[in-house]
Amino acid sequence: KSDVAGASVWGCRPPLTLTAAPRFWPGTVVQVSGVTSHPFLNGMTGTVVSQIEMGRWLVSVGDQQFALAEDKLLLPGPPGASAGFVPAAPGPGPGDAAAAAAAAA
């Protein structure tokens, strides 16, 4: 047991606190870019399945799934934009329903 404030008590750890909101949701369509371990994925479109850990996502590409770093995933640009897919900007997490509804409007 520890008497220090915030330290573990009887080996228990404090709950995990995420420092940034996720930028993707399951079902988000993404384009893969900059992957060196599986270069054949670059330029392919996939669908986010789930978040594996902070900054890493399970993405379904075709009939396979890959664990990819967030910075290797591009989001579709705004409708009519010539840029196609763009890097994900920091934004609200999946729990921010009001921001998600506003973004969809």
Side-chain angles (χ1 to χ4, degrees), residues 4-5 8-9 23 28 40 48 52 56 83 85 101:
V4 178
S8 64
V9 177
R23 296 183 179 125
T28 302
F40 64 90
V48 172
I52 298 171
R56 291 192 68 77
F85 284 80

Side-chain angles (χ1 to χ4, degrees), residues 27-105:
T28 302
V29 175
V30 294
Q31 185 179 55
V32 181
S33 176
V35 175
T36 57
S37 60
H38 295 69
F40 64 90
L41 290 173
N42 295 323
M44 297 184 81
T45 301
T47 304
V48 172
V49 175
S50 64
Q51 185 173 22
I52 298 171
E53 60 189 39
M54 194 67 176
R56 291 192 68 77
W57 297 85
L58 185 62
V59 178
S60 177
V61 179
D63 60 353
Q64 295 183 311
Q65 294 183 341
F66 300 90
L68 299 172
E70 188 170 280
D71 65 345
K72 306 301 182 194
L73 304 175
L74 304 176
L75 290 170
S82 61
F85 284 80
V86 296
D96 192 345

Side-chain angles (χ1 to χ4, degrees), residues 6-18:
S8 64
V9 177
W10 301 109
C12 296
R13 294 183 184 173
L16 177 65
T17 302
L18 299 178

